[in-house]
Amino acid sequence: MDKRIYLCLAHMSGQEQKYIQEAFDTNWVVPLGPNVNGFEEDLKRFVESAPNGKTMDWAVANGKEVVALSAGTAAVHLALIALGVQAGDEVICQSFTFCASCNPIKYLGATPVFVDSEPDTWNIDPDLLEEAIKDRINKTGHKPKAIIVVYLYGMPAKIDEIMDIARKYDIPLVEDAAEGFGSRYRGRVCGTFGEYGVLSFNGNKMITTSGGGALICPDKEAKQNVMFYATQARESYPYYQHEHIGYNYRMSNICAGIGRGQMTVLEEHINHHKQLATLYTQLFAKIPGIAFHGCPSEDIDSNYWLNTITISPDLHVKGEEKAYAEKVQGAVGGAAGVTHSAQSTHTECEPNRNVEAIRMALDAAGIESRPLWKPMHLQPVYKGCPSYVNGISESLFKQGLCLPSGPYVSEKDAARIVTVIKQHIEP
Ligand SMILES: *Cc1c(COP(=O)(O)O)cnc(C)c1O
């Protein structure tokens, strides 16, 4: 049996331990310190860089600042706090995403307004976004407080169009680039276009700090404000004085040490993900009924965090009649942290049988794959939230599959993955 191939596993550079050792040697085992500062500087340098490693022109004029945090979810939460989102407000969020993009809206007692995707990048549809804004103003008399755009699987959104609408209605934009670290739009790093940009360094992301995230802020003042809320909102008195509710969201100096080591292999990781994308593109080009999701234009430069395909509903796959016959035990693919067992074999909206059959066939061959994110407007927990829907994300969810993409996936592995899929297609 070949080794099991996972979706995206953390991969160390070997430099991490040096920075962690330094933290111990200098007794900085706390949520601040030299690694936190060093990691933030590394991140700032990277997000301002052009594809050739030089600093971009816009960065010279208006440099961004970066705050290292305990998670990407914390970064979303703090971005919304920094933008003044309060209970009763509405915040627009791309529906096609992981729950961490919108859960913080609920943490604040605000209401998410979900907007569907366009078919080119799979991210928020600019036309539908404008329709949603107009309709919310009509219905509530208020503008939504913020717009959250997501770079799904690393693919940049149609940023120019989205920024135009955000400017037109004067609504701040938050970019959830948790999956899109190192993706670029017209050469510029994703997460630097909007008011705030979210990064994640969870174990399965482009780089990892074991768990962690960062918020890209517009300037030093905004960074100070975010740090204030990330460290329990302490006022500068000799004693503990609190005039706001804060959070314990700062990154630890140990995690930041891992991050500094990871920054030395970031470009290498991105290149590896992109090479796999090129290979998958070639291999799937020969299989009718399966489409690889590639960059739709020259402006859009995905990091291909996860490589994804869609499977035509007309394609017949061996074993599809047995799909969903049994309840899944534990998390699909063995992902950590699923402690609620499934209550039923079906839900109201699930991937097509042929997709599930391919997932099961890959799993049996020791290959992890996963359906696309189930859109938030279809999630029971968000039932009743306003949503502006065109059917795109629901249709993608039913047809899509994420394939192994990390640094541990070799070109030989990719070829084997495509072969297993091919072998299960009925003529
Ligand atoms: C992973 C992820 C997050 C949250 O990041 P954590 O570091 O896991 O909290 C947010 N948004 C999206 C789209 C993600 O994929």
Side-chain angles (χ1 to χ4, degrees), residues 178-330:
E179 301 174 4
F181 186 38
S183 296
R184 291 171 184 271
Y185 183 83
R186 295 181 198 260
R188 183 164 151 184
V189 171
C190 287
T192 62
F193 291 88
E195 203 76 7
Y196 289 93
V198 170
L199 302 176
S200 166
F201 313 117
N202 205 339
N204 55 356
K205 296 290 161 77
M206 189 50 83
I207 60 165
T208 187
T209 57
S210 71
L215 190 60
I216 304 172
C217 302
D219 51 38
K220 286 206 165 66
E221 201 185 327
K223 174 173 177 169
Q224 287 298 326
N225 183 46
V226 167
M227 289 215 290
F228 170 75
Y229 281 102
T231 52
Q232 306 287 31
R234 293 190 302 232
E235 306 291 340
S236 56
Y237 292 88
Y239 43 87
Y240 283 82
Q241 169 83 5
H242 298 289
E243 298 173 9
H244 297 269
I245 296 293
Y247 300 85
N248 182 7
Y249 276 171
R250 199 78 166 110
M251 181 178 277
S252 86
N253 200 46
I254 301 292
C255 292
I258 304 176
R260 291 178 84 180
Q262 288 276 285
M263 285 304 282
T264 65
V265 287
L266 172 61
E267 295 282 6
E268 209 177 292
H269 281 196
I270 295 170
N271 288 335
H272 186 89
H273 284 250
K274 286 184 178 177
Q275 274 161 21
L276 282 173
T278 306
L279 190 64
Y280 278 129
T281 306
Q282 291 161 358
L283 295 169
F284 283 115
K286 300 190 202 108
I287 306 184
I290 297 187
F292 180 81
H293 179 44
C295 294
S297 83
E298 295 267 295
D299 290 337
I300 289 177
D301 177 12
S302 176
N303 65 7
Y304 289 104
W305 169 61
L306 288 187
N307 287 283
T308 52
I309 52 172
T310 46
I311 297 153
S312 159
D314 303 330
L315 196 76
H316 286 291
V317 174
K318 286 178 194 153
E320 65 185 32
E321 67 287 348
K322 289 194 296 261
Y324 299 115
E326 286 172 40
K327 274 196 277 188
V328 173
Q329 300 297 319

Side-chain angles (χ1 to χ4, degrees), residues 70-76 97-101 150-152 176-179 198-205 211-213 305 373:
S70 56
T73 313
V76 177
T97 188
F98 177 55
C99 64
S101 302
V150 186
Y151 303 136
L152 220 60
D176 182 347
E179 301 174 4
V198 170
L199 302 176
S200 166
F201 313 117
N202 205 339
N204 55 356
K205 296 290 161 77
W305 169 61
W373 302 126

Side-chain angles (χ1 to χ4, degrees), residues 342-365:
Q343 296 301 304
S344 58
T345 52
H346 294 276
T347 67
E348 272 173 42
C349 177
E350 60 195 15
N352 294 334
R353 282 174 182 274
N354 60 357
V355 174
E356 177 61 5
I358 288 184
R359 189 194 68 75
M360 291 192 305
L362 288 170
D363 189 51

Side-chain angles (χ1 to χ4, degrees), residues 399-414:
Q399 296 179 37
L401 203 62
C402 301
L403 298 177
S405 302
Y408 283 109
V409 183
S410 68
E411 301 208 338
K412 201 166 138 254
D413 293 336

